């Protein structure tokens, strides 16, 4: 209450006292009564005074009589006693900290020399924003290996495709030969079947076999008719059998080898594809994205060592440890990014209160004109040896950036909530003659009643007095004025 309010209330009570004094004084002027009558009047007044004293004995001196107008003018508010809810809490120290679940430590995946810095301390960044550029020989070597594996795979893919064509055509040619066509029919049917040098081997062996067969048949017929010598017959027979054996050997060799060549080409192409995948995985391990890898084949040579350090998430840069020309490695973060839209409230819970703190309990933190609420989300299981406290944590919404990590605050943790029959505001309770009292109004009298306090918090208290009936009129605001008036009455009575 400000000074003007106190002056106003003092003037009200001075006026109240003046009115009370005027009511007790005799009127101006006298009607000429004699001394006896005056004495009788004095005796009557004395008796009346004694009667008033007896009234104080009945109710005690601790009674204040104020009219409704006087109560209203002084700001005294009287309300009926009733029940309500009382939430108990404890006050504990706490520190605002970063939400460690949203803190990003940005470390290069490769060592190199910083060539460009794009984001600085305090900048807000989004996921994927370019933070810095590093020239990395390690990355360049990995890209070169990747490009080499791609070239090797392309070559082996071509060879595999060629072997597939050869295999298909060889299969067709062998099917034709199994039908034993004439050499002229074979040439027509084999035309367009590309199988490489094996085609010449097969056609040559087949033709020699067919020619030998014809010569052998002719010599056999002539020998039977006696028109040929036995030597010529045996020579033709030998040449035929030799050509037949050669053809069968070539046929079986090609039938086996073309399938083997196809399997080998297929296996080599598969291994080459695996090598490309491994080289690609290495680039991923060095921090490149899928889009980055796809661009490697077409990027200019000067970008072969370019490593782009990008933000892994959104937030504000709270630390930066790199400058152009500096050598950076893979073991120390060069940026720290934190999403400050939420912060942690790290509460130090003294060991004697540890059993009272539970997950889900409401928490209020007030610092000046800043107020925030939350619930206990984590309670540490260990008491710190140095401070003898446990750690409890609350996540606070900080979208307005009202809370700064590192700031010390005091929090209120609600430990109990109970519905009670008799509740009064803390302002209704006064200490009077060494006891806690509330002021109860009966008709036009206000008197103190000693109380026993049960549960309480900063705003309300429970009355354990069953003798104060529910519904009794209690002074709930500016009760100190009633106490002050009682003090003045007591002083006047002693005088």
């Amino acid at each position: 209450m400000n000074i003007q309010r106190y002056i106003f209330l003092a003037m009200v009570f001075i006026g109240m006292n003046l009115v009370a004094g005027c009511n007790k004084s005799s009127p101006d002027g006298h009607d000429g009564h004699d001394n006896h009558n005056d004495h009788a009047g004095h005796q009557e007044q004395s008796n009346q005074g004694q009667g008033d004293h007896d009234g104080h004995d009945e109710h005690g001196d601790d009674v204040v009589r104020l009219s409704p107008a006087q109560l209203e003018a002084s700001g005294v508010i009287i309300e009926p006693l009733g029940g309500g809810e009382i939430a108990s809490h404890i006050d504990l120290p706490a520190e605002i900290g970063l939400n460690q679940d949203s803190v990003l430590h940005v470390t290069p995946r490769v060592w190199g020399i910083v060539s460009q810095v794009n984001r600085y301390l305090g900048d807000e960044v989004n996921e994927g924003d370019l933070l810095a550029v590093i020239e990395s020989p390690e990355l360049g070597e990995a890209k070169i290996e990747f490009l080499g594996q791609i070239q090797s795979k392309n070559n082996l893919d071509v060879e595999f495709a060629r072997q597939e064509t050869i295999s298909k055509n060889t299969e067709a040619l062998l099917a034709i030969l199994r039908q034993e066509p004439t050499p002229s029919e074979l040439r027509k049917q084999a035309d367009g079947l590309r199988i490489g040098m094996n085609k010449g081997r097969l056609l040559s062996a087949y033709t020699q076999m067919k020619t030998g067969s014809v010569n052998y048949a002719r010599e056999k017929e002539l020998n039977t008719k006696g028109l040929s010598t036995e030597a010529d017959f045996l020579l033709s027979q030998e040449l035929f059998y030799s050509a037949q054996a050669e053809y069968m050997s070539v046929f079986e060799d090609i039938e086996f080898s073309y399938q083997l060549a196809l399997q080998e080409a297929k296996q080599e192409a598969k291994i080459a594809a695996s090598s490309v995948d491994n080289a690609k995985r290495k680039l991923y391990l060095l921090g490149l994205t899928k889009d980055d890898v796809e661009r490697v084949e077409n990027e200019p040579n000067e970008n072969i060592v370019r490593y782009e350090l990008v933000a892994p998430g959104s937030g504000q840069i709270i630390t930066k440890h790199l400058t152009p020309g500096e050598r950076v490695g893979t073991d120390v973060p060069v940026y720290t990014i934190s999403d400050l839209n939420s912060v942690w409230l790290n509460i130090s819970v003294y060991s004697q209160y540890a059993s009272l703190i539970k997950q889900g309990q409401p928490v209020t933190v007030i610092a000046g004109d800043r107020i925030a609420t939350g619930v206990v989300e984590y309670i540490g299981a260990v008491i710190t040896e140095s401070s003898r406290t446990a750690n409890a944590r609350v996540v606070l919404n900080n979208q307005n950036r009202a809370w700064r990590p590192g700031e010390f605050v005091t929090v209120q943790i609600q430990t109990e909530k109970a519905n009670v029959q008799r509740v009064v505001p803390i302002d209704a309770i006064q200490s009077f003659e060494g006891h806690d009292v509330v002021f109860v109004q009966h008709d036009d009298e206000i008197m103190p009643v000693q109380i026993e306090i049960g549960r309480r918090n900063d705003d309300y208290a429970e009355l354990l007095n069953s003798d104060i009936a529910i519904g009794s009129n209690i002074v709930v605001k500016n009760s100190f004025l009633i106490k002050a008036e009682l003090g003045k009455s007591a002083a006047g009575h002693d005088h």
Side-chain angles (χ1 to χ4, degrees), residues 83-99:
E85 185 179 79
I86 292 183
S88 302
H89 67 264
I90 56 176
D91 293 340
L92 293 171
E95 181 181 0
I96 304 297
L98 295 172
N99 185 338

Side-chain angles (χ1 to χ4, degrees), residues 81-84 86 419-424 452 454-455 460-472:
L81 177 64
I86 292 183
N419 290 312
V420 298
Q421 292 184 338
R422 294 170 175 81
V423 177
V424 295
E452 182 180 355
R455 301 175 181 87
Y460 296 95
E462 175 190 11
L463 301 187
L464 300 179
N465 304 59
S466 59
D467 56 330
I468 304 179
I470 296 175
S472 299

Side-chain angles (χ1 to χ4, degrees), residues 306-320:
R306 179 184 175 90
Y307 174 77
E308 294 185 348
L309 186 65
V310 300
S314 300
Q316 184 179 103
I317 296 175
I318 58 175
T319 65
K320 167 183 166 291

Side-chain angles (χ1 to χ4, degrees), residues 143-283:
K143 287 182 178 180
I144 291 173
E145 179 185 354
F146 173 65
L147 293 173
Q149 294 295 345
I150 289 178
Q151 183 62 47
S152 177
K153 177 182 179 301
N154 290 340
N155 293 338
L156 291 173
D157 284 345
V158 171
E159 177 60 22
F160 176 56
R162 190 179 77 87
Q163 288 297 332
E164 282 186 316
T165 301
I166 291 174
S167 175
K168 179 180 178 181
N169 291 339
T170 302
E171 183 71 31
L173 181 58
L174 294 178
I176 294 172
L177 290 172
R178 289 188 183 96
Q179 298 174 5
E180 298 186 0
T182 63
S184 60
E185 291 175 341
L186 177 60
R187 285 192 296 271
K188 290 180 181 179
Q189 295 182 39
D191 187 31
L193 295 177
R194 300 180 180 277
I195 64 173
M197 60 182 299
N198 285 337
K199 183 178 181 179
R201 290 177 61 199
L202 274 172
L203 293 181
S204 176
Y206 183 78
T207 301
Q208 290 179 9
M209 183 193 70
K210 281 296 184 182
T211 302
S213 175
V214 171
N215 290 336
Y216 172 63
R218 185 178 65 251
E219 288 295 332
K220 183 177 181 181
E221 182 180 357
L222 291 175
N223 182 262
T224 302
K225 294 178 179 181
L227 299 176
S228 173
T229 64
E230 186 68 20
D232 289 338
F233 168 71
L234 294 175
L235 178 62
S236 65
Q237 185 182 50
E238 180 184 356
L239 291 176
F240 168 63
Y241 287 160
S242 177
Q244 187 180 47
E246 178 65 19
Y247 167 69
M248 292 176 62
S249 174
V250 171
F251 187 97
E252 291 177 357
D253 179 61
I254 292 176
E255 184 180 35
F256 174 76
S257 64
Y258 89 87
Q259 294 178 347
L260 179 61
L262 177 63
Q263 291 300 320
E264 289 177 348
K266 182 178 181 180
Q267 185 65 22
E268 289 177 355
K270 185 176 180 180
I271 292 174
S274 177
S275 297
V276 171
D277 289 340
N278 289 337
K280 185 184 297 184
R281 292 187 184 98
K282 185 175 182 180
L283 293 178

Side-chain angles (χ1 to χ4, degrees), residues 36 40 44 47 50 85 87 96 113 139 143 153 188 200 233 243 303 341 401 414 420 485:
H36 177 76
E44 181 181 355
N47 292 336
Q50 181 64 36
E85 185 179 79
I96 304 297
I113 305 301
L139 178 61
K143 287 182 178 180
K153 177 182 179 301
K188 290 180 181 179
F233 168 71
N303 285 350
N341 287 324
R401 300 296 194 273
Q414 182 177 302
V420 298
E485 183 64 18

Side-chain angles (χ1 to χ4, degrees), residues 433-492:
E433 296 182 350
H435 301 286
D436 290 326
V437 301
V438 295
F439 295 102
V440 182
Q441 183 188 50
H442 294 286
D443 297 329
D444 62 342
E445 297 179 343
I446 299 176
M447 62 185 64
V449 176
Q450 184 176 340
I451 61 172
E452 182 180 355
I453 299 175
R455 301 175 181 87
R456 65 181 296 166
N457 57 27
D458 292 341
D459 300 313
Y460 296 95
E462 175 190 11
L463 301 187
L464 300 179
N465 304 59
S466 59
D467 56 330
I468 304 179
I470 296 175
S472 299
N473 291 326
I474 305 293
V475 177
V476 296
K477 185 175 181 181
N478 288 336
S479 60
F480 70 92
L481 296 176
I482 305 300
K483 176 182 176 181
E485 183 64 18
L486 283 175
K488 291 190 295 183
S489 298

